[in-house]
């Protein structure tokens, strides 16, 4: 049994949270799996990070997905409920389910990820210095409000207390949860604050559920850790990016990708028939890969493309996101099955999962390396693309040159072998 179980609501979150443990010397594996699927009996890594793909489920289904993973096997010593660093998804429902199923007394909630400009001050969560509701994420920045739907009491751990260090945190937590399970939301604006929270939670002599994004994971201790880093074995020659996020930051990043690197999927055609559109894009993608060592397949390079997909979806009464993701997955699978790339960049959790399903990849072994904070590296562990280096990036992460830098990182990693 693994010492740490991470339950994530999307794939890129599972990757960057698993990386928080791997970067400190623990073996870490990310799995894309149906929560009802049988568990493998093979040797487990120190850290097992599971993508439950629960962010867009209704709250009851999301809670059930969390419970299913905690009610079958013995619960590991450390349970980490990964939540989105912009608080999207079924946060309260999933935390409640994890608290109950893992039989923990306290949920220590610290979503800050300072390396990606996510911080929490006065119980409010900020991105790039702005509250979430003002930053275009459509969620309330007040953590107490976020947990209004919880069945448990909610308390706050102020920045003033966190600044005093781990002993002060432990003292503040020592009597929490004695009269029933409790949720404690924590301020943090620097990595050392997350370290104080994690260390204080470990010392407080309460049974703790850790709740956070990739930031807190970098501070939580792993019992009996031993690293066996994976090695890339794929002999491809190119770096391939599959970009499906339509976050404004991703669209800005695509603006600086050289035109001759881009292969564009027709978004309206993808909504109409994902398989046909994906196969057409696969032909263009395969041709591009024969002549270029850096190629990016995307379903949108501008807001106009996003609007076209939405209009086509409205006409058909469907959701455009899953259909475009399906088309990108089909394209990636058909263009790479016989010739996997040396390196693969996946941007956007839903797109990443669709692509991996398309190439029959269910496991990623994390190397502990990263392009930058929030953009971890791993090696595909199974399927036709086994041995391929992979990096993943959430749509809202990174600067303007992040996509370019990721492709250059993958290409240079191959060239240096």
């Amino acid at each position: 049994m693994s010492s740490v179980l991470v339950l994530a609501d999307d794939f890129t979150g599972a990757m960057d949270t698993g990386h928080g443990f791997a970067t400190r010397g623990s073996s870490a594996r990310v799995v894309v799996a149906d929560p009802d699927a049988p568990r493998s009996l093979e040797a487990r890594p120190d850290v097992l990070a599971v993508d439950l793909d629960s962010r867009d489920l209704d709250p009851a289904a999301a809670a059930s997905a969390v419970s299913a993973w905690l009610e079958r096997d013995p619960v590991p010593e450390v349970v980490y409920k990964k939540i989105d660093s912009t608080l999207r998804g079924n946060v309260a429902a999933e935390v409640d389910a994890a608290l109950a199923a893992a039989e923990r007394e306290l949920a220590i909630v610290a979503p800050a990820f300072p390396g990606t400009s996510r911080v929490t001050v006065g119980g409010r969560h900020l991105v790039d210095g702005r509250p979430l509701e003002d930053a275009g994420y459509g969620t309330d920045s007040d953590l107490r409000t976020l947990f209004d739907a919880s069945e448990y009491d909610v308390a706050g751990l102020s920045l003033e207390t966190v600044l005093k260090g781990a002993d002060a945190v432990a003292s503040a937590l020592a009597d929490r949860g004695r009269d029933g399970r409790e949720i404690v939301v924590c301020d943090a604006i620097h990595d050392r604050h997350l370290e104080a929270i994690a260390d204080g939670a470990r010392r407080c002599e309460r049974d703790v559920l850790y709740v956070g994004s990739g930031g807190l994971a970098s501070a939580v201790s792993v019992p009996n850790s031993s690293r066996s880093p994976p090695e890339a074995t794929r002999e491809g020659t190119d770096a391939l990016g599959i970009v499906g996020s339509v976050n404004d930051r991703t669209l800005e990043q695509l603006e600086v990708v050289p035109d001759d690197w881009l292969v564009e999927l027709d978004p309206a055609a993808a909504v109409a028939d994902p398989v046909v559109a994906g196969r057409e894009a696969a032909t263009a993608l395969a041709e591009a890969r024969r002549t270029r060592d850096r190629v990016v397949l995307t379903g949108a390079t501008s807001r106009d493309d996003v609007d076209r997909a939405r209009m086509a979806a409205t006409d058909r009464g469907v959701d455009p996101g899953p259909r475009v993701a399906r088309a990108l997955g089909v394209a990636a699978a058909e263009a790479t099955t016989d010739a996997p790339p040396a390196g693969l960049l996946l941007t956007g959790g839903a797109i990443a999962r669709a692509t991996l399903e398309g190439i029959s990849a269910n496991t990623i072994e994390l190397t502990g390396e990263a392009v930058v904070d929030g953009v971890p590296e791993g090696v595909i562990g199974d399927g036709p693309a086994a041995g391929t280096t992979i990096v993943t990036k959430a749509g809202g992460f990174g600067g303007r040159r992040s996509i370019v830098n990721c492709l250059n990182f993958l290409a240079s990693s191959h060239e240096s072998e």
Side-chain angles (χ1 to χ4, degrees), residues 116-135:
T116 61
S117 300
R118 275 80 165 151
V119 301
T120 310
V121 182
R124 299 187 72 82
H125 198 56
L126 315 177
V127 175
D128 295 324
R130 294 187 294 168
L132 294 175
E133 57 268 30
D134 297 332

Side-chain angles (χ1 to χ4, degrees), residues 268 271 304-317 320:
V271 169
D304 287 342
D305 290 333
V306 176
D307 291 340
R308 286 177 58 210
R310 287 175 177 165
M311 289 176 63
T314 298
D315 290 343
R316 290 169 174 79

Side-chain angles (χ1 to χ4, degrees), residues 189-202:
I189 62 175
H190 193 280
D191 288 339
R192 63 176 174 269
H193 302 153
L194 295 172
E195 292 167 5
I197 291 166
D199 197 14
R202 182 180 58 83

Side-chain angles (χ1 to χ4, degrees), residues 14-170:
M15 288 284 290
D16 62 52
T17 304
H19 171 74
F21 294 99
T23 192
R24 291 175 289 130
S26 298
S27 60
R29 178 181 304 151
V30 175
V31 297
V32 179
D34 182 336
D36 293 326
R39 308 290 183 84
S40 170
L41 297 179
E42 66 185 48
R44 295 284 184 91
D46 297 327
V47 179
L48 182 67
V50 182
D51 170 22
L52 297 177
D53 194 27
S54 58
R55 180 171 298 171
D56 295 324
L57 298 179
D58 66 71
S64 294
V66 170
S67 298
W69 271 90
L70 289 168
E71 291 173 350
R72 290 189 175 188
D73 291 347
V75 177
E77 186 171 342
V78 176
V79 179
Y80 191 105
K81 179 67 201 73
K82 192 276 172 186
I83 61 174
D84 179 50
S85 65
T86 60
L87 308 183
R88 293 172 296 170
N90 298 290
V91 176
E94 293 191 11
V95 171
D96 278 10
L99 262 176
E103 298 183 344
R104 299 306 203 246
E105 297 168 297
L106 293 179
I108 305 301
V109 181
F113 198 167
T116 61
S117 300
R118 275 80 165 151
V119 301
T120 310
V121 182
R124 299 187 72 82
H125 198 56
L126 315 177
V127 175
D128 295 324
R130 294 187 294 168
L132 294 175
E133 57 268 30
D134 297 332
Y137 286 95
T139 49
D140 195 311
S141 63
D142 190 311
L143 287 174
R144 287 178 178 270
T145 300
L146 180 72
F147 284 100
D148 278 348
S150 173
E151 65 179 278
Y152 303 118
D153 291 338
V154 181
L157 188 68
S158 70
L159 188 60
E160 180 182 6
T161 299
V162 173
L163 286 170
K164 294 177 183 177
D167 286 340
V169 171

Side-chain angles (χ1 to χ4, degrees), residues 311-329:
M311 289 176 63
T314 298
D315 290 343
R316 290 169 174 79
V318 297
D319 183 351
R323 297 176 81 87
V324 173
R326 169 71 170 143
L328 289 169

